[in-house]
Amino acid sequence: ILRHYALRWLERLARRTGTQLDEVLIPSLRTPTVLWCVAIGMLLGLEVAPLPRRLATLGTSIVAALIVLSVTIVVAKVLDRGLQNLGQRIQMGTAVTGLGMTLTRVLIFTLGGLLVLSTLGISITPLLAALGVGGITVGLALQDTLSNLFAGVHILLEKPVRLRDYVKLQSGEEGYVTDIGWRTTRIRMLPNNMVIVPNAKLAQSILTNYYLPEQRM
C-alpha cells in the first residue's frame, strides 16, 4: 500500500515540476520497489522469528542480496532511459545505438552480479580466475564476433559514421545509417532497402560521409 501511494505521489510531483522525472525515475522504480517490499518483509520476519543463528545469517544475506539486485536494476534502467532521453534531446547518436546501450547494461549487471555473490558470502576470486581462462577460450572461438564488437566500439568513439548520417560505401551502396549495433551497422538505402554491414568491414572500408564536416549534399 505504501509503495502504491509513494509511486502515485512521485507521478504527481513529476507532472508538477515539468522535469523528465516521470519518464526516467518512476518507470525504473516499479520493479525494484517490489523487491524492496519483499526485503523489508523478510527483515521484519527475521527480527521476530526464533530462528537458528545459521538460518538468520542466511536470511540476512538474502535480504542484502535483494537490495543490491534492486539497486542494480534501478541504476541500469535509469542510465538506459536517461541516455535515450539525452540522445533525443541533443541528437547525440552514440548514446542511443544498440551497442552503447548493450555495453551499459552488461557492465552494470556484471558489477551487480559480483556484488550479489560477495554479499551471499561466495568468493568471487575463483570465479574471476575461471572467467579469465574461459574468456581466452571463448575469445579464440568467437574471434570474428569480437572483431566486429571492437570495431563497433571504435566507430562509436572515433565517430566517422553517426546515426542518421548519409554515407556511401566503397562497394557502391549508399543510404542513411539507422543503427550501429554490437556486430553490424544498418544502412537504409533510398529505395527503403536495408544494407547490413559487419562493423569490421565498415571500419576497414573507404566510405564517403556526406554529413561530415557539415550536413550538406
Side-chain angles (χ1 to χ4, degrees):
I1 292 174
L2 291 175
R3 169 185 172 274
H4 172 73
Y5 283 105
L7 290 177
R8 290 185 59 182
W9 176 78
L10 284 176
E11 291 175 353
R12 290 196 299 268
L13 179 63
R15 288 194 297 266
R16 194 178 308 160
T17 56
T19 61
Q20 300 293 328
L21 182 65
D22 55 339
E23 299 180 6
V24 176
L25 183 59
I26 297 176
S28 304
L29 289 176
R30 295 192 180 277
T31 301
T33 49
V34 175
L35 297 178
W36 292 345
C37 293
V38 174
I40 292 174
M42 291 183 61
L43 188 61
L44 294 176
L46 290 172
E47 290 293 332
V48 300
L51 295 177
R53 179 176 299 178
R54 179 178 299 179
L55 289 179
T57 304
L58 178 61
T60 304
S61 300
I62 293 176
V63 170
L66 286 176
I67 295 175
V68 172
L69 178 61
S70 63
V71 172
T72 302
I73 295 175
V74 170
V75 173
K77 288 188 174 182
V78 167
L79 287 178
D80 193 348
R81 297 177 185 274
L83 287 176
Q84 289 180 0
N85 292 336
L86 180 62
Q88 293 175 1
R89 183 185 305 173
I90 64 176
Q91 297 181 352
M92 183 175 58
T94 58
V96 294
T97 58
L99 176 60
M101 304 313 302
T102 301
L103 291 177
T104 302
R105 296 191 194 101
V106 169
L107 177 61
I108 296 299
F109 281 105
T110 300
L111 294 177
L114 293 177
L115 288 176
V116 168
L117 293 178
S118 178
T119 303
L120 293 176
I122 301 175
S123 178
I124 62 176
T125 303
L127 179 61
L128 293 177
L131 288 176
V133 176
I136 297 176
T137 306
V138 173
L140 293 176
L142 301 177
Q143 187 174 1
D144 293 337
T145 302
L146 291 177
S147 65
N148 287 319
L149 174 62
F150 288 112
V153 174
H154 168 75
I155 292 172
L156 288 178
L157 294 178
E158 190 177 353
K159 300 179 182 179
V161 175
R162 303 164 300 179
L163 290 183
R164 295 178 292 275
D165 282 358
Y166 191 89
V167 299
K168 182 177 181 180
L169 302 179
Q170 185 180 9
S171 55
E173 294 87 355
E174 57 182 286
Y176 292 95
V177 179
T178 60
D179 183 53
I180 303 175
W182 63 273
R183 184 179 178 274
T184 60
T185 297
R186 300 175 184 269
I187 300 175
R188 179 175 57 82
M189 301 179 66
L190 294 181
N192 206 26
N193 299 325
M194 193 69 70
V195 178
I196 312 298
V197 185
N199 290 332
K201 296 290 185 181
L202 183 64
Q204 298 173 1
S205 175
I206 300 176
L207 59 87
T208 303
N209 191 335
Y210 291 97
Y211 278 21
L212 288 178
E214 59 185 8
Q215 186 173 338
R216 175 183 297 179
M217 299 183 60

